[in-house]
Amino acid sequence: MRLVANKVYDENKISYKILCVIISLCVANSHHRNRESKRTTMPYEMSWLVEKRVIYARMYGHMTSEELTAYYQSMLTHARVSELLLHTLTDTTDITRIDMGLRDLQNMSFAGIRNLGWAVFISPSKINRFFASVITQLSKKRGRQFATLEEGLKFLQDIDDTLPPITLPIKRDAA
């Protein structure tokens, strides 16, 4: 599926693809670190900041294509249990590399999930935020990019007054 060349946007499938493309493009300038040894834990964590309303996804280290697929499945599982307007907060401040191709992107979708709200992307890199902004605009989805988690949370609180007060998530040490 060509998202830009054909200008065909499947509204039910594009939201998660946006996140994947953002993450893939945004870490392209971070390929200078050595490959990590095999690990037993996944290089991401996912939880509810607000039950069935706000998903917090934190990525760190080096993510392989297989780990990204597992991340996607976890995100999809979270999204399917929510019937309310659902926002995502993706924190990539600690990611060093991600291995993902366009074929990986084509295999991922949020088909049938119509309640997606704002996709908030966190990265300290201006170029990463720029790529995230371009991809979000091309897909005609609601997204915002911020340098810090605090800024992203403040935005969500300001834009959706139905959310309760949200505290900053505690980042666990990367395994």
Side-chain angles (χ1 to χ4, degrees), residues 2-64:
R2 294 181 186 190
L3 299 177
V4 178
N6 290 341
K7 295 185 180 179
V8 174
Y9 301 102
D10 184 340
E11 293 296 318
N12 292 327
K13 296 181 180 180
I14 195 73
S15 295
Y16 187 74
K17 291 180 181 186
I18 293 167
L19 293 176
C20 293
V21 169
I22 290 169
I23 294 163
S24 179
L25 290 175
C26 291
V27 297
N29 63 347
S30 301
H31 293 300
H32 303 294
R33 298 197 182 185
N34 293 333
R35 288 193 174 266
E36 297 175 4
S37 60
K38 290 193 176 197
R39 56 185 170 257
T40 58
T41 59
M42 292 293 193
Y44 68 87
E45 57 188 58
M46 193 172 301
S47 60
W48 291 108
L49 282 183
V50 176
E51 189 72 23
K52 298 183 181 181
R53 293 293 315 278
V54 180
I55 297 173
Y56 171 66
R58 175 181 169 243
M59 299 178 153
Y60 51 86
H62 172 196
M63 282 190 80
T64 65

Side-chain angles (χ1 to χ4, degrees), residues 1 3 8-22 85-88 108-121 131-145 155 159:
M1 180 173 165
L3 299 177
V8 174
Y9 301 102
D10 184 340
E11 293 296 318
N12 292 327
K13 296 181 180 180
I14 195 73
S15 295
Y16 187 74
K17 291 180 181 186
I18 293 167
L19 293 176
C20 293
V21 169
I22 290 169
L85 187 63
L86 177 68
H87 307 295
T88 61
M108 299 179 189
S109 70
F110 269 131
I113 300 175
R114 300 186 185 279
N115 61 327
L116 292 175
W118 286 89
V120 178
F121 181 80
F131 282 125
S133 173
V134 169
I135 292 166
T136 303
Q137 290 174 36
L138 289 173
S139 66
K140 300 178 183 178
K141 290 296 180 180
R142 294 181 287 190
R144 283 289 176 91
Q145 302 74 38
F155 169 77
I159 202 76

Side-chain angles (χ1 to χ4, degrees), residues 98-118:
I98 191 163
D99 297 335
M100 186 182 101
L102 289 177
R103 291 195 191 270
D104 298 317
L105 180 62
Q106 290 173 336
N107 292 329
M108 299 179 189
S109 70
F110 269 131
I113 300 175
R114 300 186 185 279
N115 61 327
L116 292 175
W118 286 89

